[in-house]
Structures are given as C-alpha cells and as structure tokens.
Amino acid sequence: MTKIMDISQEETQLYDCQYLPARQAALYSDWVLRYIEKDATLRPLYEHEYSIEGVKAFIENSHFSDQRRQILRRAIERQYGTMPLPAKVKQNIEKLSQANTFTVTTGHQPGLMGGPLFVAYKILSVVRMAEFLTTTLPQYEFVPLFWMASEDHDWDEVNHFYFHAKRYEWQTDYSGAVGRYILPDMGHFIEQLPQELQSWAQVYRAGDSWATATRRLIHRLFGDLGVVVVDGDDRDLKSLWKDIVWQELTQAPTKEAVARQNELIERLGGTIQAHVRDINLFYMTGRERLRVKRTGDGHWQTVGGQYAWSLEALRKSVTQEPEAWSPNVMLRPVYQQAILPNAVYMGGPGELAYWLQLRKVFSYWRQVDAHIQMPVVGLRHSLFVLTPSDWRKIEKNALQPQDFFRPVDALIKEWLAAHVHETDVFDSARAKITEAHALLLPEIDAVDASLHKKVKAYEVQALKQIDDLEKRFYKAVKQREETAVRQIQSVHERLFPGGVPQERHDSLFTFFIYHREKEYWKQLLQKLIPFRTDVLLLKENS
C-alpha cells in the first residue's frame, strides 16, 4: 500500500495534514481526472487552462466596463442592506469598482444552516486562491465571491442538514425559488436543534427571506475572511443581460452550441453532465419557477400553460420585469460572467463537468456581449477529517488512510484475506500425541498389561486438552477479527457516512463549532495549496 506524502509543517495547530493524489482517492470520474491532470486531448474544451498563465490570459482578454462594475458594486451594497460589514468585506466590495480587480467565484444553493461541509470548502478554496493570485500578480486585486444560487427551486436539496448523524429538516409546501421564501417564526424548530447550534440559527428571522438569512449566516461565518456574497436574483443585475434573455427566447442559440460541444466531448470519451433544453430559462413568480417553451403557433408559454406570451408581450416582459427571467444550469454561468469580472470559477466535480460543455456557448454569447468570457475553471479543494481515535484504529490494523477511499466491503475482504490466522499446528500436536502413546504401549504392555487402559486414558485426556486449547485459540482469533472489522467500519463511516463522502453529508458546523475560538477557517486555509487538486486528509491533534 503506497504511503502518501506528508508535507505538513505543524506547530501548535489543530490538524496534521496529508495529501492524497486525486486519482488515488477515487472520488472523481475519469473524465474529471483527465481534466485536472491536464490531458492534452481535452484542451479544445475550455478557453483558459487552470494555471497562473490561464488567469493572465483571461485578464488580457477581459473587457469589463466601469459602468457595469458600478452597477455590480451598488447592487451588492444594496443586498447587504444594514448588515454590519467587516473592514475586509467593505474594502473588497469597493475594490469591485476598480478596473484592476477581478473575482474568484464559487457558488451553491442556500442550504439550511449553510449546507454540508463542502460548501465551506468551496468558500475556503476561493479565499485561498484570491490571496494567492493577489500575491502572485500584485498589479491586480482578486476578491473571493460566493454566488448564492437563490433561484434554485429544488427545496429538497436545501431544507435539511445532518449534525452528528441526526437529520434536521424544515418543512414547507413552498415550491418557488428558494431564496424568495419568506420565513415564518422558526423558534420551535430552533429550540429542537443542539444547544451549540441554536445561537447560529438565530439568523433565521421571521419576515426575512431565506436568501437574507443565508447571507447573514455566510457573512457571520466567513466575513472576516473578506468573502463577498452576491445574489443573482436582482433586478438591476438581471437588467444587464436582457439582450441575452431576449435572444435565448427568440433564437434559442444555446442548444445548438451545447450540442456541438457535446459531440466533441463524446468523441473524446467524456461525460455529458447536464441536459440542454430548447430554451434554457425559467419564468419566476412569487411562488413558482416555471420552465418556458415555444409553442407551434409562434407564442411562448410556461410548461403547464399557466403563463403565455405573444412576441410583443414577451418583449415587454423581458424589458419591464427582467428579474422574472431565471437561467437554468446551462445559462447560469453565462449570467455570472455577464455581471461579474470573474477570472476563476471553482466548483465541484459535477460542476466542472458541465462547465466543459460550455466553451462554444461562451463563444457565441461573447459576440452579443463583450463582457462575457469563459473563466479559468478549477476544482475546489476536498477535505476529510479523522479524529485521533480513528487514526489509532487505522494504525492498529496496519492500514493507511487512503485504503478507506473504496467500498468498505472490499476493504474488509482484503484485510481478512491478509490477516486471518489459520494453522495446522493443533492437528500436528494431536498426531504427535497419538504417535507418542502408540510408542509407549508395547513397552508398557510387556511389563504390565493392566496399565494399557491407563495409557489410553492419558491419550484421550491429552487430546481433549488440545481440543480445548484449539477452541480457545480460534475464539480469540474471531474476537480479534470482529474488533478489527468494527474498527474498520467505524473509520469508513467517519469518512463516508451512509456511503456518502463526509464533506457531502455532514453539516459545515460538524468540526468548526468546537474550534471557532481558534480561528478554525484560517487554520484550514493554511493547508490549501492553490492549483493543487490533492485530497486533504486531516488528523485532528489531541
């Protein structure tokens, strides 16, 4: 079993750190691995490579106007409202007005209590990258930005979280864009949360929107790191891409561009991650987010027919209510790049796969709006935490942490094959006892035949003692194996609770809540190496 490189330089820190190569961790598809390993055959799929040189190339080709920067800055300031801003956040918002400032962006749906661990790891990834780029390219400024995907309408993805193996869920019959959900009094729900989470849950205030509560939480968690939160569900920001909305509705160019890119991906043996539609927009009302299609008679309507438009009515809607038109997964990156001076997008493996479907989409829309450019696309950092107890179990059973990045049944089967102790020593001992007594009998019979039965009795007694020792031996072996199996299962469950990676299952509060006084996020940031895609294995110090 290959030993992984330990490049930790700890002093009095919370974690020791080991770095596991992405391919060895087996968390990602071969398609994603080919991209992060810079397979040359994939180069036609993206505009700029994931490197410093790629960032430089993006900047050289950037055309982001001062007017658009001012609209962006004012929109973000308005979204924060009266929320107190740490100096670093305030400075970063102001920097967005400057021509030499670019963003490093990640995003996610606004999950209950912030969502799972990987949301924190996404945010830390862009913070670390922005710091690194600002230091490496000092003529530019880079701002870490969290895109709150508040227009998503899949409530089941955002209404729950897991904390110490228990699921907590907020139930509602609301079905529209999750960020627009207006909070009722959640006091009863908050009282049922673990005591250590209740003060954090106070961000969910009656009368606020779900998006506002999420902004308040992310701000409280990561504001000191300078993270700027932007919500794309904004009338002023939507006004910046009205021309794109209009063309998508009337000409539907995205489908053709994606189709041509998908053909190339399939020839290269890749994965088609996301489905493109004829029209890649939704229409949003107060409680609904509805897919839009074109009818055969030259009109448009939402799927189900609740709303319909003639050409003139459609033009009026796009012009007068731009906030009602919401991009789907294929157009959201275009919208992001239309309103942000964004040099780098960092996402998970699934996001990376669908971004690779979009180069031709970006090429088309840049002809419509010169602000739009495909950014450098990178994989967020992936972290797994092990306790000192977990580590002792790993060492006791002569395993390595990377051995647990595969199905637990396969791991246990291999361990048993290597460690089960079977022996024929007891059969040999029985044979020798029988042989010894057989050797004694002729001599004893020749002297006193009455001792024959006594010799046989001793033989039976000796054989019974061997049988008893054998039973005790194999009972001890079985107990040792059962203990080892339980230990292996417990460590695997720590890393993959319910078979799901720890970072995708457990709440982002799982470890932070017990260490925030030690500047927990800043300690994790020290472990992240920009442009490296290793999986981080963190051993909690006692």
Side-chain angles (χ1 to χ4, degrees):
M1 297 177 181
T2 308
K3 187 172 180 60
I4 50 184
M5 177 175 55
D6 187 346
I7 63 173
S8 172
Q9 295 182 348
E10 295 289 346
E11 297 177 6
T12 57
Q13 299 199 15
L14 294 173
Y15 295 113
D16 291 322
C17 184
Q18 294 184 330
Y19 296 79
L20 178 62
R23 187 168 288 276
Q24 193 173 344
L27 290 173
Y28 313 129
S29 69
D30 183 67
W31 182 239
V32 170
L33 290 168
R34 287 171 63 188
Y35 174 76
I36 64 178
E37 292 169 354
K38 298 186 177 179
D39 182 333
T41 64
L42 273 59
R43 188 61 187 85
L45 297 178
Y46 51 92
E47 194 70 32
H48 307 294
E49 69 174 17
Y50 184 51
S51 67
I52 284 288
E53 294 305 314
V55 175
K56 290 179 180 177
F58 175 91
I59 292 172
E60 290 171 2
N61 286 279
S62 178
H63 302 286
F64 210 82
S65 70
D66 177 68
Q67 179 186 25
R68 196 158 292 196
R69 287 178 177 276
Q70 298 301 331
I71 293 172
L72 173 64
R73 178 184 60 79
R74 288 195 297 268
I76 292 174
E77 288 175 342
R78 176 171 37 76
Q79 289 177 9
Y80 272 97
T82 59
M83 225 175 276
L85 298 181
K88 201 166 184 180
V89 172
K90 187 175 182 179
Q91 291 167 5
N92 280 342
I93 294 173
E94 292 171 351
K95 286 177 183 177
L96 292 173
S97 299
Q98 302 170 5
N100 69 332
T101 296
F102 297 88
T103 59
V104 180
T105 301
T106 193
H108 199 67
Q109 300 98 322
L112 180 62
M113 293 299 288
L117 280 163
F118 77 81
V119 176
Y121 301 157
K122 277 184 162 187
I123 293 171
L124 295 178
S125 294
V126 296
V127 171
R128 184 69 185 95
M129 180 62 77
E131 290 176 347
F132 177 78
L133 291 175
T134 298
T135 301
T136 308
L137 303 173
Q139 66 273 41
Y140 303 108
E141 296 282 351
F142 295 88
V143 170
L145 189 142
F146 180 73
W147 177 279
M148 182 164 50
S150 64
E151 296 179 24
D152 191 284
H153 61 281
D154 190 345
W155 186 256
D156 290 339
E157 286 193 14
V158 303
N159 70 345
H160 66 277
F161 68 96
Y162 290 90
F163 187 73
H164 296 316
K166 185 175 180 180
R167 179 183 172 107
Y168 298 89
E169 179 177 335
W170 176 256
Q171 296 182 340
T172 175
D173 60 358
Y174 179 78
S175 60
V178 296
R180 294 185 175 188
Y181 173 60
I182 301 302
L183 298 171
D185 184 349
M186 294 177 66
H188 179 66
F189 173 79
I190 293 172
E191 290 173 359
Q192 298 178 49
L193 297 180
Q195 187 66 38
E196 56 266 43
L197 297 184
Q198 290 184 15
S199 65
W200 291 90
Q202 298 302 321
V203 299
Y204 294 94
R205 302 172 185 173
D208 281 349
S209 69
W210 189 268
T212 297
T214 301
R215 176 186 299 275
R216 191 178 289 118
L217 180 64
I218 297 298
H219 184 59
R220 184 176 170 189
L221 286 165
F222 302 102
D224 287 343
L225 301 179
V227 175
V228 175
V229 179
V230 64
D231 185 353
D233 187 8
D234 183 284
R235 179 182 174 84
D236 290 347
L237 297 179
K238 289 285 185 70
S239 295
L240 297 175
W241 84 315
K242 288 188 293 188
D243 291 345
I244 294 168
V245 171
W246 177 250
Q247 279 205 29
E248 178 67 13
L249 288 167
T250 57
Q251 300 177 31
T254 300
K255 182 179 181 180
E256 181 184 352
V258 172
R260 289 189 287 115
Q261 185 84 346
N262 285 352
E263 289 176 3
L264 178 55
I265 289 172
E266 289 174 341
R267 288 200 300 271
L268 293 170
T271 300
I272 305 302
Q273 181 72 21
H275 177 66
V276 65
R277 297 191 178 277
D278 293 336
I279 294 175
N280 294 278
L281 292 165
F282 293 92
Y283 181 74
M284 295 198 301
T285 67
R287 290 183 59 88
E288 297 174 301
R289 185 173 183 244
L290 305 168
R291 189 159 60 84
V292 178
K293 66 177 183 177
R294 193 165 186 171
T295 63
D297 60 357
H299 286 68
W300 290 257
Q301 68 176 35
T302 56
V303 174
Q306 298 96 317
Y307 302 92
W309 301 266
S310 65
L311 182 64
E312 187 56 37
L314 189 70
R315 187 190 303 275
K316 183 177 180 181
S317 175
V318 171
T319 302
Q320 297 185 359
E321 52 172 5
E323 70 279 7
W325 297 94
S326 173
N328 72 359
V329 65
M330 285 306 193
L331 269 188
R332 186 173 60 243
V334 175
Y335 175 45
Q336 290 174 1
Q337 294 303 115
I339 67 172
L340 300 174
N342 186 55
V344 182
Y345 185 84
M346 302 192 72
E351 290 174 284
L352 191 153
Y354 74 68
W355 275 83
L356 291 180
Q357 295 176 249
L358 299 178
R359 184 177 187 180
K360 288 181 171 57
V361 174
F362 278 105
S363 295
Y364 177 87
W365 287 116
R366 192 164 203 199
Q367 299 174 67
V368 178
D369 183 347
H371 294 85
I372 295 171
Q373 181 185 183
M374 187 175 188
V376 174
V377 180
L379 185 66
R380 66 163 174 85
H381 293 282
S382 185
L383 295 80
F384 290 79
V385 177
L386 291 166
T387 67
S389 174
D390 296 326
W391 215 266
R392 286 192 294 271
K393 292 171 185 176
I394 292 171
E395 293 173 345
K396 182 177 181 179
N397 292 292
L399 291 165
Q400 294 287 338
Q402 66 266 34
D403 296 329
F404 291 83
F405 284 78
R406 53 181 160 153
V408 65
D409 290 343
L411 174 58
I412 291 172
K413 182 177 180 180
E414 181 179 315
W415 188 91
L416 289 173
H419 292 82
V420 168
H421 191 131
E422 293 187 3
T423 178
D424 59 1
V425 67
F426 295 101
D427 290 337
S428 297
R430 277 187 284 265
K432 288 180 179 180
I433 288 171
T434 300
E435 180 182 352
H437 283 80
L439 185 65
L440 289 171
L441 277 175
E443 295 292 329
I444 292 174
D445 284 347
V447 175
D448 185 350
S450 66
L451 294 174
H452 184 95
K453 290 184 178 180
K454 182 66 74 173
V455 173
K456 295 300 292 183
Y458 284 148
E459 178 183 357
V460 170
Q461 184 179 7
L463 291 172
K464 285 183 177 180
Q465 289 175 334
I466 295 297
D467 289 344
D468 182 63
L469 283 172
E470 183 179 34
K471 290 177 182 178
R472 292 174 181 270
F473 175 81
Y474 279 112
K475 182 179 180 180
V477 169
K478 184 178 180 182
Q479 288 176 338
R480 187 189 66 181
E481 292 169 5
E482 289 177 348
T483 299
V485 167
R486 286 196 299 271
Q487 290 176 341
I488 291 170
Q489 289 172 331
S490 71
V491 174
H492 196 278
E493 183 67 12
R494 173 86 65 190
L495 294 174
F496 296 90
V500 178
Q502 179 190 81
E503 62 181 10
R504 301 194 69 85
H505 182 275
D506 293 351
S507 165
L508 63 77
F509 283 94
T510 299
F511 306 107
F512 159 78
I513 196 69
Y514 304 110
H515 297 294
R516 62 182 182 275
E517 72 279 4
K518 300 178 182 179
E519 296 186 300
Y520 183 78
W521 302 129
K522 292 181 181 179
Q523 294 228 16
L524 292 190
L525 280 173
Q526 295 174 14
K527 312 297 182 187
L528 307 184
I529 304 175
F531 296 109
R532 284 275 294 272
T533 57
D534 305 297
V535 173
L536 280 69
L537 303 176
L538 302 177
K539 175 188 175 183
E540 188 174 1
N541 290 320
S542 302

